[in-house]
């Protein structure tokens, strides 16, 4: 078999979903039916293979993405099981960045939920083809048709049912395969064998007409992507199974349709057909566009094709700490071949030399040594020291850098204080390891108070981190109350200047910088513009100015919070041939930026959250009233069966303790999800309260937009 033929049999997929849609249960069934696991693990029993962390087993949720490899038909399937809770959405982000396809699991009762929309947008960002699995068809209130409609309407993607369910709720027995027009039935006998076997039968007479109509609808839908099918459909001629499969695959890989299946993973129904669809309709590494990389010298784009014979290039998409082997770097290999013991270069870190001690095939927290890995593979490497998520590894120092992974900002912080001096040293070490593992976890020492602050994506995220620090790493420490991660912004243009003149070690240093700042649209981050004509300042000094401007964004001028959504434009400057250097320009740019920001009417920004509440109707009035008292706004309400869905926007600072309050208001029957929506200007009362804690004074009041 040729190298390309081998790669064509690889499927790199993620299993993604809203929390409680049955994602991990589906993954466990996949491992069982493919022979990877000898028994079924259950999430509710804490025995799921892929949820191996102590915190995952105790809480019954997936926290970290776990990787494994299994075999189905003639394909090798690399699977990453991702978290469903929004606090751990970064795990989904980095997984989708390196995967070629995804299985999106939906609950047949709840349908498209908030985190379903989040992961769908993430998959759209990376143009990841997907198949949908409507799970929990055996539950009361299950509706396959409703979920299909929601995928079309809410997610804006053409859903293509390739099966038709046979029954629903307690009468769900299987489905009709609309391509073969055969019924797949899981009866009592198959249930005894854990669903490993099912009956393939002719379609029951009472379902035949519905199945024919569903097949016609499927063929009509895919006729838009194949002229031969269109012609056959118009002439009312039979379309072959092979032509249907080929067309569905082409349209799915091109992200024009999403094939939709159904089943009940917990009841062992429908998972084998899902596996078939993964091999049929999701792409191999050869089917997806080449990866984008950037030349080191000029940042121009180049394409990296999935070719085992090409120079080696891989992206580090995850760092983990293993108690047995130390630091594990998870790699997606985009081109070339690598062997254990070989030297590679970290292009992201100025071509630093690293040696791959061992290559490992991971199965959750278990490992299998590999002699080599090639293009298309997802593996773990041991022995890499100075490495972080998003780094590019290559066989030469001048290889282009692969596109990095973008992660959301942290929104919540807590103070953590070690009990003893020994615990302080240990805590510093542990925090560094955890930041390496999780790019959405931050730790820093407050310059004013000396306390250590840790920041994350939400209360649950920090709860898990703190629990790991105390129990897994055995650090004795006290933990404070959660605090909101505020930011600062500006509301107008401002100009700043700095002339830096200093004598250090008998040598004069000089730099003159003039800058203008202006606000950017929310969510745009930071931008630098060189407004000088060529030759006014050497390129090395311009680069130093940009670095100084970036550094100035780390601490704002009101209360030291990071600045966001600011453009800095270099409009003037001078240098002296013998006295100027890049350090002087960096310092001058930092001070000039601060001066400009003071003139740009700075403002405090607070995080606003998107909150979705599911509640029985009788509690709706109390819940809305409580949300209003938390400065929340109800955006939309709808009915799903006998449940009210309330969409709200609310400031994070007023949402602490909400889960306890909601349980109290609804007798434990209401649930909610919450994710970051955007940062927005805080009301004056909140500003005065918050900035008072951080030394807010009269001079700050005059700078702020709200006082003019």
């Amino acid at each position: 078999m040729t190298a390309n033929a081998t790669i064509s049999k690889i499927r790199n997929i993620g299993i993604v979903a809203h929390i409680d849609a049955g994602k991990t249960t589906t993954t466990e069934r996949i491992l069982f039916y493919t022979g990877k696991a000898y028994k079924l693990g259950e999430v509710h029993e804490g025995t799921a293979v892929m949820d191996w962390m102590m915190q995952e087993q105790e809480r019954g949720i997936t926290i970290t993405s776990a990787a494994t490899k299994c075999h189905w038909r003639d394909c090798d399937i690399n699977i990453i099981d991702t978290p469903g809770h929004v606090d751990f959405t970064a795990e989904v982000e980095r997984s989708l960045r390196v995967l070629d396809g995804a299985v999106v699991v939906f609950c047949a009762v709840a349908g498209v939920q908030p985190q379903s929309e989040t992961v769908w947008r993430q998959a759209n960002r990376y143009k990841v083809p997907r198949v949908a699995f409507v799970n929990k068809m055996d539950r009361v209130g299950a509706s396959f048709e409703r979920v299909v409609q929601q995928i079309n309407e809410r997610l804006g993607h053409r859903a293509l049912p390739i099966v038709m369910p046979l029954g629903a709720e307690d009468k769900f027995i299987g489905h009709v395969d609309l391509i073969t027009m055969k019924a797949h039935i899981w009866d009592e006998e198959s249930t005894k064998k854990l669903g490993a076997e099912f009956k393939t039968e002719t379609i029951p007479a009472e379902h035949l007409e519905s199945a024919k109509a569903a097949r016609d609808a499927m063929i009509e839908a895919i006729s838009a992507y194949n002229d031969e099918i269109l012609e056959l459909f118009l002439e009312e001629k039979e379309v072959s199974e092979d032509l249907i499969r080929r067309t569905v695959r082409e349209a799915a890989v091109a992200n024009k349709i999403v094939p939709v299946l159904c089943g009940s993973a917990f009841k062992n129904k429908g998972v084998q057909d899902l596996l078939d669809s993964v091999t049929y309709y999701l792409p191999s590494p050869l089917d997806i566009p080449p990866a984008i990389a950037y030349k080191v010298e000029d940042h121009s784009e180049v394409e990296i094709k999935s070719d085992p014979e090409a120079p080696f290039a891989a992206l580090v998409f995850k760092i983990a700490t293993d108690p047995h082997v130390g630091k594990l770097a998870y790699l997606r290999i985009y081109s070339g071949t690598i062997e254990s013991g070989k030297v590679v270069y970290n292009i992201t870190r100025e071509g630093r030399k690293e040696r791959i001690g061992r290559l490992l095939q991971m199965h959750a927290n278990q490992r299998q040594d590999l002699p080599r890995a090639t293009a298309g593979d997802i593996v773990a490497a041991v022995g890499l020291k100075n490495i972080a998520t998003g780094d590019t590894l290559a066989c030469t120092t001048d290889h282009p850098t692969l596109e990095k992974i973008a992660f959301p900002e942290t929104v919540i912080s807590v103070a953590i204080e070690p009990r003893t001096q020994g615990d302080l040293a240990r805590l510093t070490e542990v925090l560094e390891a955890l930041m390496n593992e999780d790019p959405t976890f931050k730790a820093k020492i407050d310059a004013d108070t000396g306390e250590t602050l840790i920041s994350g994506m939400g209360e649950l995220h920090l709860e898990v981190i703190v629990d790991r620090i105390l129990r897994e790493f055995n650090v004795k420490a006290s933990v404070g109350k959660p605090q909101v991660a505020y930011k600062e912004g500006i509301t107008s243009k401002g100009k700043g200047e700095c002339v830096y003149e200093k004598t250090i070690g008998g040598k004069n240093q000089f730099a003159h910088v003039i800058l203008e700042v202006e606000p950017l649209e929310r969510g745009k981050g930071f931008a630098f513009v060189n407004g000088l004509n060529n030759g006014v300042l050497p390129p090395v000094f311009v680069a130093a100015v940009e670095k100084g401007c970036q550094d100035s964004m780390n601490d704002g001028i009101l209360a030291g919070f990071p600045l966001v959504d600011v453009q800095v434009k270099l409009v003037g400057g001078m240098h002296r041939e013998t006295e100027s250097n890049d350090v002087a320009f960096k310092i001058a740019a930092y001070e000039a930026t601060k001066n400009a920001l003071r003139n740009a009417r700075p403002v405090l920004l607070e995080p606003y959250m998107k909150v979705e509440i599911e509640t029985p109707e009788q509690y709706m009035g109390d819940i809305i009233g409580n949300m209003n008292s938390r400065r929340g706004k109800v955006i939309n309400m709808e009915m799903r069966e006998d449940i009210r869905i309330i969409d709200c926007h609310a400031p994070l600072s007023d949402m602490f303790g909400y889960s306890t309050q909601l349980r109290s208001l609804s007798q434990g029957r209401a649930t909610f999800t919450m994710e970051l929506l955007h940062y927005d200007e805080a009301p004056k009362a909140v500003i005065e309260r918050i900035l008072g804690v951080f030394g807010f004074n009269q001079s700050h009041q005059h700078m702020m937009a709200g006082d003019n």
Side-chain angles (χ1 to χ4, degrees):
M1 186 180 286
T2 65
N4 277 354
T6 303
I7 295 176
S8 71
K9 299 300 181 183
I10 294 175
R11 300 291 183 270
N12 293 318
I13 68 164
I15 314 290
V16 297
H18 185 94
I19 193 170
D20 288 336
K23 170 184 50 57
T24 298
T25 301
T26 303
T27 309
E28 295 293 319
R29 274 28 180 199
I30 288 173
L31 297 182
F32 178 73
Y33 298 136
T34 58
K36 195 66 184 180
Y38 71 92
K39 66 176 184 178
L40 290 175
E42 301 294 357
V43 176
H44 63 280
E45 293 175 0
T47 58
V49 174
M50 301 300 276
D51 286 350
W52 57 270
M53 288 175 64
M54 175 176 29
Q55 290 80 7
E56 293 177 315
Q57 294 173 352
E58 290 175 352
R59 297 168 185 266
I61 61 171
T62 303
I63 291 170
T64 185
S65 54
T68 189
K69 186 173 187 172
C70 60
H71 191 82
W72 186 256
R73 297 198 178 272
D74 59 347
C75 289
D76 288 322
I77 306 174
N78 292 307
I79 299 175
I80 296 182
D81 178 33
T82 62
H85 196 286
V86 69
D87 280 17
F88 308 104
T89 191
E91 289 287 327
V92 184
E93 185 84 32
R94 63 171 152 199
S95 299
L96 289 172
R97 168 65 179 82
V98 299
L99 292 172
D100 305 327
V103 173
V104 187
V105 182
F106 296 96
C107 173
V109 181
V112 175
Q113 297 172 277
Q115 187 63 3
S116 311
E117 296 183 58
T118 301
V119 299
W120 200 270
R121 287 195 302 271
Q122 289 170 315
N124 286 343
R125 185 180 306 131
Y126 297 114
K127 298 179 175 63
V128 177
R130 60 219 86 153
V131 298
F133 182 63
V134 181
N135 191 30
K136 302 188 179 184
M137 284 295 300
D138 58 316
R139 294 286 186 88
V140 175
S143 172
F144 180 74
E145 294 76 16
R146 184 176 65 244
V147 179
V148 169
Q149 184 181 354
Q150 289 177 351
I151 294 172
N152 283 317
E153 294 176 356
R154 293 193 185 182
L155 303 179
H157 224 112
R158 185 158 193 177
L160 181 78
I162 57 174
V163 301
M164 184 190 82
L166 291 172
E169 302 180 346
D170 60 347
K171 292 182 173 61
F172 177 69
I173 59 171
H175 59 247
V176 173
D177 183 331
L178 297 177
I179 297 175
T180 64
M181 287 301 278
K182 295 290 184 181
H184 295 179
I185 295 173
W186 283 263
D187 56 15
E188 204 169 312
E189 277 305 305
S190 65
T191 304
K192 289 178 184 175
K193 297 176 182 178
L194 300 174
E197 297 176 6
F198 58 88
K199 294 178 180 177
T200 301
E201 302 178 351
T202 57
I203 301 169
E206 65 270 26
H207 296 289
L208 186 57
E209 287 305 312
S210 298
K212 286 179 178 177
R215 190 176 199 267
D216 285 345
M218 176 189 70
I219 291 173
E220 184 180 5
I222 63 174
S223 68
Y225 312 109
N226 188 294
D227 291 341
E228 187 181 351
I229 292 180
L230 177 61
E231 190 175 328
L232 291 169
F233 178 73
L234 293 174
E235 293 175 0
E236 298 184 359
K237 292 181 178 177
E238 187 61 28
V239 184
S240 70
E241 293 176 21
D242 181 65
L243 182 56
I244 293 173
R245 287 200 199 284
R246 203 166 64 246
T247 305
V248 172
R249 174 178 175 78
E250 288 169 0
V253 169
N255 259 312
K256 293 174 180 176
I257 63 164
V258 177
V260 186
L261 299 95
C262 68
S264 171
F266 185 65
K267 294 293 179 66
N268 313 310
K269 298 174 182 178
V271 178
Q272 294 96 327
D273 287 300
L274 175 62
L275 277 164
D276 284 346
S277 292
V278 167
T279 64
Y280 292 153
Y281 309 125
L282 291 183
S284 77
L286 296 176
D287 296 318
I288 62 171
I292 300 298
Y294 301 91
K295 289 183 179 179
V296 175
E297 59 271 20
D298 60 6
H299 299 288
S300 60
E301 284 191 12
V302 293
E303 293 184 344
I304 307 293
K305 294 182 179 178
S306 191
D307 180 359
E309 306 301 323
F312 169 75
L315 183 74
V316 180
F317 69 93
K318 180 180 171 75
I319 301 290
T321 304
D322 188 289
H324 303 287
V325 299
K327 185 184 284 188
L328 279 172
Y330 285 78
L331 312 178
R332 164 65 194 265
I333 302 174
Y334 283 96
S335 67
T337 301
I338 191 66
E339 296 177 352
S340 292
K342 292 291 185 181
V343 168
V344 296
Y345 299 94
N346 190 334
I347 310 302
T348 311
R349 300 181 185 272
E350 300 174 340
R352 183 169 296 190
K353 185 188 289 187
E354 296 271 4
R355 184 178 297 277
I356 293 180
R358 295 163 64 190
L359 288 170
L360 303 172
Q361 183 67 66
M362 300 299 297
H363 178 50
N365 63 332
Q366 299 174 13
R367 302 162 299 278
Q368 176 187 342
D369 278 280
L370 295 171
R372 71 183 57 81
T374 190
D377 283 339
I378 292 177
V379 296
V382 179
L384 303 170
K385 294 181 170 57
N386 189 25
I387 199 155
T389 299
D391 286 358
T392 297
L393 302 181
C395 56
T396 59
T397 55
D398 60 350
H399 194 283
T401 305
L402 289 158
E403 191 174 7
K404 296 191 75 169
I405 311 170
F407 293 104
E409 293 284 334
T410 59
V411 296
I412 188 171
S413 305
V414 297
I416 184 166
E417 185 179 348
R419 301 269 178 87
T420 67
Q421 201 62 31
D423 287 317
L424 175 61
R426 178 63 176 150
L427 178 63
T428 304
E429 181 186 319
V430 168
L431 292 178
E432 187 174 342
L434 290 172
M435 281 193 288
N436 257 327
E437 284 187 22
D438 184 352
T440 61
F441 171 69
K442 306 293 182 189
K444 69 172 186 177
I445 296 174
D446 189 286
D448 296 324
T449 64
E451 66 181 356
T452 301
L453 292 174
I454 58 176
S455 306
M457 299 301 297
E459 286 185 273
L460 179 60
H461 186 200
L462 285 184
E463 276 179 28
V464 169
I465 291 283
V466 167
D467 190 55
R468 290 188 67 192
I469 292 170
L470 300 180
R471 288 203 294 166
E472 183 180 328
F473 296 99
N474 200 28
V475 177
K476 294 180 174 61
S478 303
V479 182
K481 292 181 178 178
Q483 304 169 14
V484 174
Y486 292 94
K487 296 189 185 299
E488 295 180 27
I490 56 175
T491 56
S492 69
K493 292 184 177 182
K495 194 169 184 177
E497 183 176 3
C498 176
V499 179
Y500 179 80
E501 285 189 278
K502 199 166 185 178
T503 302
I504 300 176
K507 189 174 180 181
N508 292 335
Q509 294 197 8
F510 173 84
H512 181 196
V513 174
I514 307 172
L515 300 168
E516 289 178 352
V517 299
E518 62 178 277
L520 291 175
E521 186 183 333
R522 292 280 177 257
K524 293 296 184 182
F526 169 81
F528 176 80
V529 177
N530 180 13
L532 299 180
N533 294 324
N534 289 336
V536 175
L537 290 179
V540 66
F541 294 162
V542 174
V545 170
E546 182 175 0
K547 183 67 172 63
C549 296
Q550 283 181 315
D551 288 349
S552 73
M553 297 295 115
N554 294 330
D555 54 320
I557 56 173
L558 291 178
F561 296 119
L563 278 142
V564 293
D565 307 328
V566 176
Q567 176 183 285
V568 183
K569 184 176 183 179
L570 176 60
V571 296
M574 289 177 58
H575 72 289
R576 294 173 184 168
E577 199 66 39
T578 58
E579 297 180 6
S580 295
N581 56 41
D582 55 345
V583 174
F585 269 94
K586 183 179 172 182
I587 295 170
Y590 183 94
E591 293 299 330
T593 306
K594 292 297 186 190
N595 293 333
L597 292 169
R598 291 186 184 97
N599 298 322
R601 300 170 66 182
V603 67
L604 187 75
L605 304 174
E606 64 173 335
Y608 276 75
M609 313 303 286
K610 180 183 177 183
V611 186
E612 183 173 282
I613 306 161
E614 297 186 12
T615 177
E617 190 167 8
Q618 62 260 45
Y619 308 114
M620 189 173 67
D622 289 341
I623 289 171
I624 290 174
N626 180 261
M627 182 57 65
N628 290 335
S629 72
R630 295 172 179 268
R631 294 195 288 136
K633 292 181 180 178
V634 176
I635 305 302
N636 186 49
M637 290 189 290
E638 63 177 274
M639 282 289 291
R640 288 184 202 162
E641 302 300 313
D642 58 343
I643 297 292
R644 282 279 187 178
I645 312 298
I646 308 170
D647 292 322
C648 312
H649 296 170
L652 176 60
S653 60
D654 288 60
M655 292 299 294
F656 291 136
Y658 186 65
S659 56
T660 303
Q661 182 97 59
L662 187 63
R663 283 196 296 271
S664 174
L665 292 171
S666 65
Q667 299 181 8
R669 295 176 65 189
T671 60
F672 81 105
T673 59
M674 186 167 67
E675 64 178 307
L676 179 65
L677 180 66
H678 58 234
Y679 273 82
D680 210 347
E681 189 173 333
K684 190 172 179 179
V686 174
I687 292 171
E688 291 175 349
R689 173 169 57 84
I690 297 304
L691 295 188
V693 177
F694 292 90
F696 183 54
N697 57 42
Q698 200 67 31
S699 64
H700 290 133
Q701 292 183 27
H702 291 303
M703 282 192 285
M704 292 184 59
D707 290 333
N708 292 300

